[in-house]
Each structure stands twice: as C-alpha cells, then as structure tokens.
Amino acid sequence: MKLDLKEDWGLLSRRAAIFYIVFTVVNLITFILLLTQTDAGLIPPLIYFVFWQVAIWVYYMFRYKKKDQISGGEWIDAAMFAIIAATLIRTFFIEAYQIPTSSMEKSLLRGDFLFVSKMNYGARVPMTPISFPFVHQKMPGGKGKAYSEALKLPYYRLPGFQSIKNNDIVVFNYPGEDDFPVDKKTNYIKRCIAIPGDTLRVVNGRVFLNSDKNAVAVHGQMSYQVLTSTVLDRRTLEEIDISEYGFNQNSGSYEMWMTKQNKEDLAKVPGVVEIIPLIDQPNSYPEIFPHKPEYLKWSRDNYGPIYVPKRGDVLKLDSITMWTYKDLIEKYEGNNYRIVNGKATIDGNEITEYDVKMDYYFMMGDNRHRSADSRYWGFVPEDHIVGKALFIWMSIEQDGIYGNRHKPIYERIRWRRLFNRIH
C-alpha cells in the first residue's frame, strides 16, 4: 500500500476528516495528561497514542483504497468499524453488563441487563490497553489470557461529570482478586455506602454514617426465620415476589430473604405464625474484614466503626489500624509493608502514620446476607472504579428461580423493568 499522506488525506470524506482531526486532538490531550500527570514516562503513552492514530488511519485507508478491490471487502470494512467503534465506546463512554447473582436484590435482579456510564465519574484510561476485543479476562473458550501486559499504563482517570455519592450503585473491579491487572479483575456491582472521609458502623443490620442513620435501600433485603403452621405454597410466595427461601429441616422453619414490603405481605399469608429477623451478633468471625477477630469482634450485622480513607489523609497506625489499612498500604498503594513484632514497617523502617495517596470507598450489596462486599474484603480503591450504573435495558427472569418452576422465555421477560433508571 503506497504511502502518500497528502493524496491519502484527499480520499477521506469530509465527515471522516473531521472525525480524525477531533480524535487526534482528544488522543493528543490524553497523551499529554498521561505524560504530565502520571509516572508513566514517555514510551508507554507514546505507544498508546501512536497505536490509536495508526489504527484509525489504517481503517480509513482500507475503506477508501482497498474495500472495493477485494472479495468480501464490505464485510471486512464492517468488522473493522465494529471493533474500533465498540472498543472506543466501551472504554470511554458506556458499556453493557448483566447481573449474574442476587447480591443486589431487590434493587437489581438476576437477569437484569444494564448500561454503565464510564463518563459520569470520568473514564479510566486502559491500564492494559493490548487486549482481545469484546472479552475481559480469558479468550473465547476460556483458553489463555485475553490481554497482554507487554504495554502497561499507570492509573489515570479523565475528568467526569460528578464524584461518587453515598448510595450510588457502582461497577468496580473486585479488589480481592490478585491474579489479574487492576482493569482486568472481575467486575462487581454494589451500592456505595461510604465515601472517602466517612466513618461507618452497622448496628443490628442498620447502617450508620458519621453518627447519623443512613437510609437503607428501598428494595434492600435481609434474612428472616419464618415460623409457620403449614407448608407455604410456592405460587403464593411468587405472587408476593419472594424468590429466595429454603426450609430448614432441623428447626422446622423457613429461612427467607425479603424486603420490608415482602415481610409485610408475608405476614398476611395464612399459616405464617412469626417472622424473626436473623441478626449476627458481635463475635469472632475470621471471614470479616480486616480478618482480625482476636482484636475486633465484628459481624456482618454488627460492624465497625471503621474510617474510610481519602486522598491526603494521614492515618495513625496503632495495634488495630495497622491491620485495618494493611491492604491499602501494601497492595493498593504498592509499598513493601510488613507488620513485624507488632510494629508497622515500610522497607524495614518502622512507621506510626501513613499518607494516603488515593480515595477509597466502602461497598455493600442490598441483599445484605447474600452479598460478598466490603464487610468481607475491605475498601475499594479509586483506581478500581469502572463506572456508574444508569438504567436497565432488558430484564429476563432466570428459569426456575421461583421454586424451580420453569417458564417459557416470553413469560420470563420482566417488561415493567425495561428502561428503568437505576437508583
């Protein structure tokens, strides 16, 4: 393919030329920001800049010089356009996700398909930009990584429209996963209960922030023991939208995960004798973050107080906080942090305080007793934030969710949830 930039530029349509100019300006600004606002050095941002300039240019040259000269040119052109456009849109603007678990019920249901905005909090520049299109961690078929770490960029986020607020529903990369680069970790979705600078505590399942009671999500669920005088009909439970329950043979009672409205509706069902909240009292639970039950008698329902650090904080490290902020100092901010003989050290030197470099968040699922969240693995660093959940564009009930009763696909579409705003 002959290279004559002046002649080749003349082949572009006016729309294509304008797009390439605008794209070049945005790409150049991103390059300058990475160069001046991070410790990336020159080479990685330059490679990233050149790659995208060349990718768009090669696409245009194929479209205007080769498409009509080869068999299947239209299909190749369409595929190239789809890959480039989808990659840019998914990285910097908006991306589709599916809810696979019940951890956010009843706010988000299994089978909800939603759009997540990358722009609201600011799009994160890819940290591992060399990756296979349309997949996240593994190649199709699950064999081999879908990305390369040959080129890595430091964390940088473009300016956004807003900051994360209390009770926002946020998509983020799971911090407890160490097998992947940050931006390739598994995507989680939870409600942001506490933002940087907040102090959080949970008392008997009720969340308090900074000494004030925090409104629990309208559709949030808790678990209950349900005593009955008869077997409950599964269709009755379906009618009042209770999908998560089981019968305990030992106690002769049901365990159900319900919203406040579910609980009120269930109390009216004939045969229901008593509904008892299941609350974990303070005790030694090694699975609860920060995994030091010998110091902190916390549970999922009685937790904290715990302070959520913000950038610029100076954390005082004592016998408890040196463990609470261990992952923050060591894993998320990349220090050689060790606790030796009850003393916190970095590079072998004892420290009694630490300057925080990033903002952190505390996430919880609305389905409080069926959610692996910050109560189990701690804070979410700002560089793990993916985007803000906007709205549901499709919702399909999982087959057999109500008492293993199967339905045809057209009966499982939740029409009332389509295009619902997420809040």
Side-chain angles (χ1 to χ4, degrees), residues 110 243 397-407 412:
R110 285 168 287 180
S243 59
E397 177 187 304
Q398 290 187 354
D399 196 23
I401 193 174
Y402 290 102
N404 293 319
R405 190 164 68 85
H406 301 288
K407 304 178 185 178
R412 292 191 282 119

Side-chain angles (χ1 to χ4, degrees), residues 99-106 108 110 188-190 220-224 242-247 254-258 278 280 300-301 364-377 398 401:
I99 302 298
T101 72
S102 65
S103 71
M104 285 295 293
E105 295 205 10
K106 292 288 197 291
L108 295 173
R110 285 168 287 180
Y188 271 34
I189 185 166
K190 305 289 180 187
Q221 292 191 155
M222 292 288 287
S223 57
Y224 298 85
I242 297 177
S243 59
E244 294 187 288
Y245 60 89
F247 187 79
Y254 290 89
E255 183 175 1
M256 297 187 181
W257 290 262
M258 300 183 288
L278 295 176
D280 287 354
R300 60 184 177 178
D301 296 316
M364 290 174 66
D366 286 354
N367 198 355
R368 292 287 194 256
H369 285 179
R370 283 200 159 180
S371 172
D373 51 39
S374 288
R375 293 169 296 174
Y376 297 90
W377 35 253
Q398 290 187 354
I401 193 174

Side-chain angles (χ1 to χ4, degrees), residues 52-69:
W52 274 112
Q53 293 299 124
V54 171
I56 302 296
W57 186 256
V58 167
Y59 166 67
Y60 278 144
M61 289 304 96
F62 178 85
R63 162 169 277 198
Y64 291 105
K65 295 178 76 171
K66 294 293 183 181
K67 181 179 71 172
D68 298 328
Q69 300 177 16

Side-chain angles (χ1 to χ4, degrees), residues 130-184:
I130 303 176
S131 60
F132 194 83
F134 308 118
V135 292
H136 188 54
Q137 294 173 337
K138 300 288 186 180
M139 293 291 286
K143 296 182 179 180
K145 297 189 299 184
Y147 59 90
S148 170
E149 296 185 73
L151 175 64
K152 294 194 287 187
L153 295 173
Y155 164 67
Y156 185 75
R157 191 175 297 277
L158 299 174
F161 302 141
Q162 64 178 107
S163 58
I164 298 176
K165 297 181 176 60
N166 297 103
N167 287 323
D168 278 0
I169 295 183
V170 180
V171 173
F172 56 92
N173 299 116
Y174 172 43
E177 201 168 39
D178 298 325
D179 298 332
F180 301 98
V182 168
D183 59 338
K184 297 301 178 183

Side-chain angles (χ1 to χ4, degrees), residues 137-265:
Q137 294 173 337
K138 300 288 186 180
M139 293 291 286
K143 296 182 179 180
K145 297 189 299 184
Y147 59 90
S148 170
E149 296 185 73
L151 175 64
K152 294 194 287 187
L153 295 173
Y155 164 67
Y156 185 75
R157 191 175 297 277
L158 299 174
F161 302 141
Q162 64 178 107
S163 58
I164 298 176
K165 297 181 176 60
N166 297 103
N167 287 323
D168 278 0
I169 295 183
V170 180
V171 173
F172 56 92
N173 299 116
Y174 172 43
E177 201 168 39
D178 298 325
D179 298 332
F180 301 98
V182 168
D183 59 338
K184 297 301 178 183
K185 293 181 179 182
T186 302
N187 292 311
Y188 271 34
I189 185 166
K190 305 289 180 187
R191 191 176 296 276
C192 181
I193 297 297
I195 61 176
D198 282 342
T199 297
L200 171 142
R201 62 193 176 102
V202 184
V203 180
N204 292 329
R206 295 185 299 165
V207 178
F208 294 81
L209 286 180
N210 307 319
S211 299
D212 296 325
K213 184 178 180 181
N214 183 45
V216 176
V218 173
H219 301 294
Q221 292 191 155
M222 292 288 287
S223 57
Y224 298 85
Q225 181 184 15
V226 180
L227 306 179
T228 65
S229 59
T230 185
V231 176
L232 298 179
D233 180 60
R234 65 185 184 184
R235 291 183 182 272
T236 300
L237 296 178
E238 180 178 352
E239 288 173 2
I240 59 176
D241 197 24
I242 297 177
S243 59
E244 294 187 288
Y245 60 89
F247 187 79
N248 189 320
Q249 297 287 350
N250 294 326
S251 63
S253 62
Y254 290 89
E255 183 175 1
M256 297 187 181
W257 290 262
M258 300 183 288
T259 65
K260 181 179 178 181
Q261 185 62 53
N262 292 151
K263 179 172 176 280
E264 293 174 358
D265 293 340

Side-chain angles (χ1 to χ4, degrees), residues 87 257 339 393 415:
T87 299
W257 290 262
I339 298 175
W393 62 271
W415 297 103

Side-chain angles (χ1 to χ4, degrees), residues 284-312:
S284 297
Y285 293 95
E287 69 273 18
I288 296 295
F289 179 83
H291 316 297
K292 299 302 290 182
E294 62 270 33
Y295 298 127
L296 300 169
K297 306 298 183 183
W298 293 356
S299 72
R300 60 184 177 178
D301 296 316
N302 286 276
Y303 187 91
I306 187 169
Y307 176 73
V308 183
K310 64 179 183 296
R311 184 190 295 110

